[in-house]
Amino acid sequence: MELHDVWFVLIAVLWIGYFFLEGFDFGVGILTKLLARDRPERRVLINTVGPVWDGNEVWLLSAGGATFAAFPEWYATLFSGFYLPLLLILVCLIVRGVAFEYRAKRPEENWQRNWEHAIFWTSLLPAFLWGVAFANIVHGVKIDQDFEYVGTAGDLLNPYALLGGLVTLTLFTFHGAVFTALKTVGDIRERARKLATKVGLVAAVCALLFLLWTQVDSGDGKSLVALVVAVAALVAALVANQAGREGWSFALSGLTIVAAVTMLFLTLFPNVMPSSLNADWNLTVTNASSSPYTLKIMTWCAAIATPVVMVYQGWTYWVFRKRIGTQHLAEPVH
């Protein structure tokens, strides 16, 4: 296997890790409006992800940095062509981080309510837009012979991409609801399980339609296996959630995301960004990659740093593993 193939796989792993972790993170943010009934319950939801949300975003930074270094042509075409949606995602992530940190800085009702609105919308919009972006990458966009995007922002809002956005939105919300049930106690836990069942059924329908469309459009035997695993895992997650096995349900909803994103990358390879105008203008792992020497240096750096980051993040989840409820909330200090 060539180094550019290795880095395609590594970038896929980084995106899989990001969607697995940030997926329930976004889902919990969305649930602050859909599930929480009052301010104490919203505090509980925010506290379930409070210690880990910023660590989850490290996976996005790593995926973006690895793409820039390993496949500069891919990075340039992607960020120039998808400038508006990616800028909107970036703004949302910035505002979302500020909202988490500033929400409890002042006791006024309006202050806290406005930041809670910000958490909801800046969780919902990226959850939808990431699906739109990746659906377009897999389906193909208007790239010319100079490997430049020549379409418009409106071209990105095609039916396939919008369905992809609905898939990530509903799947992340389901993932977040299951995580909430896993991390909370009392009434909020029970309501999270019930909501997870409703959202999960919608996610299952959307995901099945989207993955079947992807398979028919550009799939092969390997992607078909990933499709079957994703659908089976989602059904099993719904069954486990209904039985009150939150740990299994969370693991299986995570497996759904892993298998679904894996399928997208399997259908994409050896392309990194197909052209809908001419297959000869596709960006591939070969024509979009950096020099072999650059990839070699990157491989050594990743081999040293990645285990350290993963061990530290795993330790963080272990430390904050216990369930919480409204009875565990401390009095706010301003």
Side-chain angles (χ1 to χ4, degrees):
M1 181 181 288
E2 299 289 338
L3 280 179
H4 50 65
D5 297 331
V6 171
W7 273 97
F8 179 87
V9 174
L10 290 177
I11 289 172
V13 170
L14 289 171
W15 280 111
I16 290 169
Y18 174 67
F19 286 139
F20 179 95
L21 296 172
E22 195 82 311
F24 71 76
D25 202 326
F26 286 143
V28 170
I30 294 169
L31 293 177
T32 57
K33 294 294 184 185
L34 301 184
L35 179 65
R37 291 175 174 172
D38 50 30
R39 178 142 294 120
E41 289 193 352
R42 281 191 286 276
R43 284 182 61 193
V44 169
L45 289 177
I46 292 171
N47 287 350
T48 62
V49 297
V52 298
W53 69 266
D54 47 356
N56 294 343
E57 291 188 356
V58 170
W59 290 78
L60 172 62
L61 299 175
S62 300
T67 304
F68 172 78
F71 299 101
E73 288 282 357
W74 183 14
Y75 184 93
T77 304
L78 176 64
F79 277 79
S80 61
F82 292 24
Y83 181 81
L84 287 178
L86 292 180
L87 177 63
L88 183 55
I89 290 173
L90 178 60
V91 171
C92 284
L93 294 180
I94 293 172
V95 174
R96 187 168 179 265
V98 173
F100 278 130
E101 298 296 334
Y102 276 62
R103 173 192 161 276
K105 295 297 183 182
R106 290 171 56 178
E108 290 88 347
E109 178 82 11
N110 287 341
W111 174 272
Q112 295 195 3
R113 183 174 61 248
N114 289 337
W115 285 121
E116 288 165 359
H117 286 318
I119 290 172
F120 171 76
W121 288 108
T122 56
S123 297
L124 185 147
L125 288 174
F128 176 75
L129 290 174
W130 277 127
V132 173
F134 267 82
N136 275 294
I137 292 173
V138 172
H139 197 57
V141 292
K142 295 179 179 179
I143 299 175
D144 65 11
Q145 66 271 22
D146 296 320
F147 302 134
E148 295 181 359
Y149 179 73
V150 293
T152 64
D155 293 332
L156 303 178
L157 301 177
N158 55 78
Y160 178 79
L162 294 175
L163 179 59
L166 287 176
V167 171
T168 51
L169 176 60
T170 55
L171 195 55
F172 290 172
T173 306
F174 171 68
H175 198 39
V178 172
F179 178 78
T180 300
L182 178 64
K183 287 287 293 179
T184 57
V185 295
D187 181 57
I188 193 170
R189 174 188 176 189
E190 296 301 320
R191 285 188 283 114
R193 284 176 48 203
K194 293 178 181 178
L195 182 60
T197 298
K198 297 176 182 178
V199 176
L201 291 173
V202 177
V205 173
C206 293
L208 181 61
L209 292 174
F210 178 74
L211 295 180
L212 285 175
W213 190 344
T214 304
Q215 179 65 27
V216 171
D217 188 48
S218 54
D220 56 15
K222 294 179 182 178
S223 62
L224 180 60
V225 172
L227 185 156
V228 172
V229 171
V231 173
L234 183 52
V235 172
L238 285 166
V239 173
N241 176 70
Q242 196 69 17
R245 303 296 298 272
E246 291 101 342
W248 279 105
S249 184
F250 178 71
L252 289 165
S253 67
L255 178 59
T256 302
I257 294 173
V258 170
V261 179
T262 298
M263 180 187 175
L264 296 183
F265 277 96
L266 286 172
T267 59
L268 189 59
F269 186 80
N271 299 315
V272 294
M273 206 165 176
S275 171
S276 60
L277 301 178
N278 190 327
D280 293 333
W281 301 340
N282 290 352
L283 281 167
T284 68
V285 294
T286 304
N287 63 25
S289 69
S290 294
S291 67
Y293 182 75
T294 300
L295 296 177
K296 184 177 180 180
I297 296 298
M298 290 176 60
T299 303
W300 279 107
C301 293
I304 296 170
T306 303
V308 176
V309 173
M310 294 186 70
V311 168
Y312 175 76
Q313 191 165 21
W315 175 79
T316 304
Y317 276 92
W318 176 256
V319 169
F320 295 100
R321 67 188 181 277
K322 292 185 178 181
R323 296 176 183 268
I324 60 174
T326 53
Q327 66 270 31
H328 300 119
L329 295 176
E331 289 297 321
V333 177
H334 301 285

